[in-house]
Amino acid sequence: MWRGREGTSPARSSAPPRVPTPSPRPAWELAGGREPIGSLQEHYYNLCKEKSKKINPFILHILQGVDEEIEQGLEGITLNVAGNNHLIPVERITGDDFWILSKVLEKNPYINGLDVRYNRLRDVGAYYAAKLLQKQYNLIYLNLMFNDIGPEGGDLIAKALYKNVTLKYLRMTGNKIENEGGMSFAAMLQINSYLEKLDLGDCDLGMQSVIAFATVLTQNQKIKGINLNRPILYGEQEESTVHLSHMLKENHCLVELHMSKHDMRNGGIKQLCGALYLNNSLRYLDVSCNKITRDGMVFLADVLKSNTTLEVIDLSFNRIETAGAKYLSETLTSHNRSLKALSVVSNSIEGEGLVALSQSVKTNLTLSNIYIWGNTFDEATCVAYSELIQMGYLKPDNTDVEPYVVDGHVYLAEVSNGLKRHYYWTPTYGQACIHSANAGFNLVPATSKTGVQEDPSLGNWRMFGFVSQPTANENVVV
């Protein structure tokens, strides 16, 4: 249990943590003479007493650290109260907890990001998150992933964004807002022209809402990145891919598109590639975890001969096999000079195809990142990638394999690098914001002027939450 600093209130046997002694040098003096807002920890404590709510010691501890940051004159802080931290005692935040926390943050000028992933906000907390978006004019990043928010809560948050002009990046990942909530967010994008990145992955979106997003994005020219991973689709017509392909023909603003788990087949990738001949803005395409085979690579290899904007392609967990790898290798060796990163993790590629891709890296100096783990490595493959690393063609941080030698034979071991290794989780120990584990979002930052990337903990935001400890979340696989 976390304890507050010593205060002046009388001691009681069951008293909650005490109010910290006011700093001898107020935060507002150190932050350029702004109007004093008082200690966040003290404000939270007093509000809990006033509203007769239980004090959450985890929140109190986090706010104590934020107060120290503010006293140092720091601004642009992202408040991190993720509920799956294993390094310190955590009492997960409920809707009532978030009500009090939102009151504390309403007019705070120093905090412009809030990360409350993996808590228990539910629709009650979504109501107060919507209220916060209407009253907090400094918030540019809000992460609500995996908080059991349903369609009603999603609708409330979407409507709160109708008039919001500050939020740049909203992450709703894993909240089952379903088709109803998805339609609310699509309607919001018709009105809001300030939001730059929206993550609705794993939200159980229906076909109707995916089509609505595709329609709205033909008009909305502000959104730079959108994640529509794993919608709930029925039928074999690949309608979601068809509609999003049509959108790409009209939209010349979108930089990042995630279409993982769309049940995409070769016909779908053909539709996408047809749109990419006309699109001149998309730089990051994620079509991982689909059903694309080697025949689909014929279309992708062909469009890469003329497309000069795509910089990152994620083909992980498809089945392009050796033949598909060869199609890509031929284009990357002889034609394309814009692609920077390619992931073919777990694609049933055998040695010949992997060696062909290694030759592309050696020839094409623009192709700096390649990820190949989960395929079939023979000795020629191990030697080829070992030589790439030793000769400096491929930096160790830019691939997910590392060579080692046993009894004179070269083998490859897996290392924790990739395009988005920390999308669902960050490591319990060690540095969480290393670029090598989240290369896709560092090569192609989807938002401008805010420093927002896929997650502030993965980028260059000032983030507070675990005092000077690394961000620590459990290994969550969804």
Side-chain angles (χ1 to χ4, degrees), residues 59-312:
I59 296 177
L60 199 67
H61 171 68
I62 297 302
L63 293 179
Q64 177 185 344
V66 174
D67 284 334
E68 293 170 0
E69 294 273 295
I70 293 172
E71 286 174 7
Q72 296 170 20
L74 300 174
E75 299 183 50
I77 299 170
T78 295
L79 178 63
N80 187 337
V81 282
N84 59 342
N85 173 30
H86 284 175
L87 294 185
I88 61 177
V90 171
E91 185 176 322
R92 294 200 180 193
I93 299 172
T94 65
D96 283 345
D97 290 330
F98 191 77
W99 171 42
I100 302 296
L101 182 60
S102 66
K103 292 280 187 185
V104 173
L105 300 179
E106 267 181 15
K107 296 181 180 179
N108 189 286
Y110 306 102
I111 294 173
N112 65 7
L114 178 60
D115 185 344
V116 287
R117 69 181 96 175
Y118 295 107
N119 282 290
R120 300 191 178 107
L121 301 189
R122 301 190 171 90
D123 287 345
V124 174
Y127 171 81
Y128 294 116
K131 291 293 184 183
L132 183 64
L133 288 171
Q134 293 170 345
K135 297 179 180 180
Q136 225 285 8
Y137 303 117
N138 298 288
L139 205 64
I140 60 176
Y141 168 72
L142 179 60
N143 187 341
L144 298 171
M145 71 181 288
F146 291 99
N147 265 287
D148 292 332
I149 296 172
E152 183 180 345
D155 181 63
L156 290 169
I157 292 170
K159 287 179 177 175
L161 290 173
Y162 282 8
K163 296 183 179 180
N164 183 284
V165 298
T166 57
L167 195 72
K168 300 295 183 186
Y169 179 16
L170 174 64
R171 190 165 183 190
M172 291 289 293
T173 318
N175 292 298
K176 309 308 179 186
I177 63 173
E178 301 177 356
N179 197 64
E180 179 186 339
M183 292 298 291
S184 298
F185 276 99
M188 176 272 294
L189 290 181
Q190 291 181 298
I191 299 169
N192 185 301
S193 59
Y194 297 91
L195 192 68
E196 295 186 6
K197 190 166 182 181
L198 178 62
D199 189 337
L200 295 175
D202 303 291
C203 285
D204 288 2
L205 303 178
M207 178 62 73
Q208 184 185 10
S209 54
V210 173
I211 293 173
F213 278 112
T215 304
V216 168
L217 289 175
T218 59
Q219 303 297 324
N220 185 306
Q221 297 298 311
K222 188 64 177 179
I223 286 283
K224 299 291 194 303
I226 192 163
N227 187 319
L228 299 173
N229 287 350
R230 214 216 66 178
I232 304 299
L233 305 175
Y234 301 96
E236 303 292 326
Q237 303 302 314
E238 299 186 72
E239 288 182 67
S240 65
T241 308
V242 170
H243 285 278
L244 289 169
S245 298
H246 290 163
M247 177 272 293
L248 286 176
K249 293 178 182 179
E250 304 293 330
N251 185 299
H252 298 289
C253 179
L254 197 67
V255 172
E256 180 183 324
L257 176 62
H258 295 267
M259 296 179 62
S260 180
K261 305 171 191 172
H262 270 244
D263 202 26
M264 188 186 306
R265 296 173 172 80
N266 294 329
I269 195 69
K270 181 180 180 181
Q271 290 276 349
L272 272 181
C273 291
L276 290 174
Y277 284 108
L278 303 175
N279 183 282
N280 59 7
S281 65
L282 195 70
R283 296 167 60 198
Y284 187 157
L285 176 63
D286 175 7
V287 288
S288 59
C289 303
N290 282 296
K291 298 178 180 179
I292 303 168
T293 69
R294 59 185 183 180
D295 293 337
M297 292 303 97
V298 175
F299 309 115
L300 184 58
D302 192 54
V303 76
L304 286 176
K305 292 177 181 178
S306 57
N307 183 291
T308 58
T309 54
L310 271 175
E311 297 179 11
V312 178

Side-chain angles (χ1 to χ4, degrees), residues 282-357:
L282 195 70
R283 296 167 60 198
Y284 187 157
L285 176 63
D286 175 7
V287 288
S288 59
C289 303
N290 282 296
K291 298 178 180 179
I292 303 168
T293 69
R294 59 185 183 180
D295 293 337
M297 292 303 97
V298 175
F299 309 115
L300 184 58
D302 192 54
V303 76
L304 286 176
K305 292 177 181 178
S306 57
N307 183 291
T308 58
T309 54
L310 271 175
E311 297 179 11
V312 178
I313 298 178
D314 191 348
L315 290 165
S316 305
F317 304 101
N318 282 284
R319 196 178 178 84
I320 70 170
E321 300 179 304
T322 299
K326 285 184 174 180
Y327 292 139
L328 290 176
S329 173
E330 181 183 351
T331 294
L332 294 172
T333 301
S334 306
H335 302 279
N336 185 280
R337 288 298 181 271
S338 61
L339 195 71
K340 296 179 180 178
L342 173 67
S343 177
V344 290
V345 171
S346 297
N347 262 277
S348 301
I349 305 172
E350 296 183 350
E352 190 178 351
L354 294 170
V355 170
L357 288 173

Side-chain angles (χ1 to χ4, degrees), residues 344 349 351 353-361 370-372 377-391 394 399-403 410 412:
V344 290
I349 305 172
L354 294 170
V355 170
L357 288 173
S358 75
Q359 292 301 314
S360 299
V361 176
I370 189 165
Y371 305 97
I372 62 169
F377 299 158
D378 58 11
E379 188 164 1
T381 301
C382 297
V383 170
Y385 283 86
S386 176
E387 289 179 352
L388 281 181
I389 294 171
Q390 290 175 2
M391 296 173 67
L394 184 61
T399 186
D400 58 349
V401 294
E402 181 179 49
V410 180
L412 296 177

